[in-house]
């Protein structure tokens, strides 16, 4: 039995939850509205034009990109997640989509360098355009959020990169919906591509 449950419940009020909901909602709204629409348009166009799309990210950013990869697959794009056992080699003309709040995540930077060597194009979502992944990108979406180690940030009161990761998810959803809106496919047609081995 969890002896912490009762005191914790007493310590958290409904107003605490409402205040936190307002905080998270207002920060996400301001951050997503701060993203330049033209950058999102360019990302969507590059995704649609690429013969194959590869996504690479670490930690929670990587999880958000895995969700994005599923949605792009639903659209009929050839998409692969870096590190999966069946992911083929990236090649010239392919598009590598990466995300890192700092733009310096070691594994993501290494993936960018590999993509550069073979002539693949790079799309990056980051808070820092001058970072290694930002400066290497052919297409950049800059997210006006704090980095995960910027604990004294005035941009967010949330913990360690949460705002970037929340915005990343919404930006990729916006890209998906924008691409879908430009397509004639119905939701049922997209759903036929959904995994049936789970």
């Amino acid at each position: 039995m969890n002896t912490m449950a009762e005191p914790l419940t007493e310590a958290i009020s409904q107003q605490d939850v409402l205040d936190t909901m307002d905080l998270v909602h207002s920060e996400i709204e301001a951050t997503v509205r701060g993203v330049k629409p033209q950058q999102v348009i360019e990302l969507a166009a590059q995704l649609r034009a690429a013969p194959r799309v590869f996504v690479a990210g670490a930690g929670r950013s990587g999880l958000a990109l895995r969700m994005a990869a599923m949605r792009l697959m639903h659209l009929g794009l050839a998409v692969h997640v870096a590190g999966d056992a069946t992911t083929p080699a990236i090649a010239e003309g392919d598009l590598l989509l990466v995300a890192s709040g700092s733009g310096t995540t070691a594994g993501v930077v290494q993936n960018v360098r590999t993509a550069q060597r073979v002539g693949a194009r790079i799309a990056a979502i980051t808070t820092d355009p001058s970072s290694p992944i930002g400066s290497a990108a052919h297409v950049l979406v800059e997210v006006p959020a704090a980095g995960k180690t910027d604990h004294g940030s005035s941009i967010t009161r949330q913990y360690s990169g949460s705002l970037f990761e929340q915005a990343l998810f919404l930006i990729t959803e916006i890209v998906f919906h924008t691409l879908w809106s430009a397509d004639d496919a119905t939701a049922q047609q997209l759903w036929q591509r959904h995994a049936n081995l789970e």
Side-chain angles (χ1 to χ4, degrees):
M1 181 173 176
N2 184 359
T3 57
M4 295 295 290
E6 191 171 341
L8 184 59
T9 302
E10 291 173 0
I12 299 174
S13 70
Q14 182 173 332
Q15 190 59 51
D16 292 333
V17 174
L18 290 171
D19 290 346
T20 303
M21 290 170 71
D22 287 343
L23 167 70
V24 173
H25 177 268
S26 64
E27 287 192 355
I28 291 172
E29 181 177 20
T31 301
V32 172
R33 287 194 180 277
V35 173
K36 295 180 176 71
Q38 187 58 41
Q39 293 181 343
V40 177
I41 291 168
E42 291 170 6
L43 174 57
Q46 289 292 322
L47 288 165
R48 176 57 82 191
R52 298 186 303 173
V53 176
F54 293 74
V55 303
R60 287 161 48 109
S61 296
L63 293 172
L65 285 182
R66 292 180 81 88
M67 290 189 284
M70 177 186 280
R71 286 291 181 254
L72 295 174
M73 175 274 293
H74 285 155
L75 285 173
L77 276 62
V79 58
H80 303 281
V81 177
D84 281 358
T86 58
T87 298
I90 194 169
E92 185 175 0
D94 291 333
L95 179 70
L96 174 64
L97 171 61
V98 294
S100 166
S102 67
T104 61
T105 306
V108 179
V109 172
Q110 184 59 48
N111 286 330
V112 166
R113 291 180 180 149
T114 299
Q116 287 177 309
R117 280 197 303 273
V118 301
R121 295 182 63 77
I122 297 155
I125 304 175
T126 184
T127 66
D128 186 358
S130 65
S131 66
I133 74 164
S135 58
H138 299 92
V139 178
L140 174 74
V141 176
E142 181 181 358
V143 181
K148 66 181 176 184
T149 58
D150 188 3
H151 301 301
S153 170
S154 60
I155 297 173
T156 181
R157 288 171 47 204
Q158 296 185 69
Y159 175 69
S160 189
S162 288
L163 182 57
F164 172 76
E165 294 145 2
Q166 292 156 356
L168 171 61
F169 169 70
L170 290 176
I171 290 164
T172 59
E173 286 290 286
I174 290 164
V175 167
F176 161 76
H177 199 81
T178 300
L179 288 170
W180 184 29
S181 296
D183 196 349
D184 292 331
T186 65
Q188 184 58 35
Q189 288 171 318
L190 266 59
W191 187 251
Q192 289 172 4
R193 298 188 181 108
H194 189 70
N196 58 8
L197 297 174
E198 298 191 44

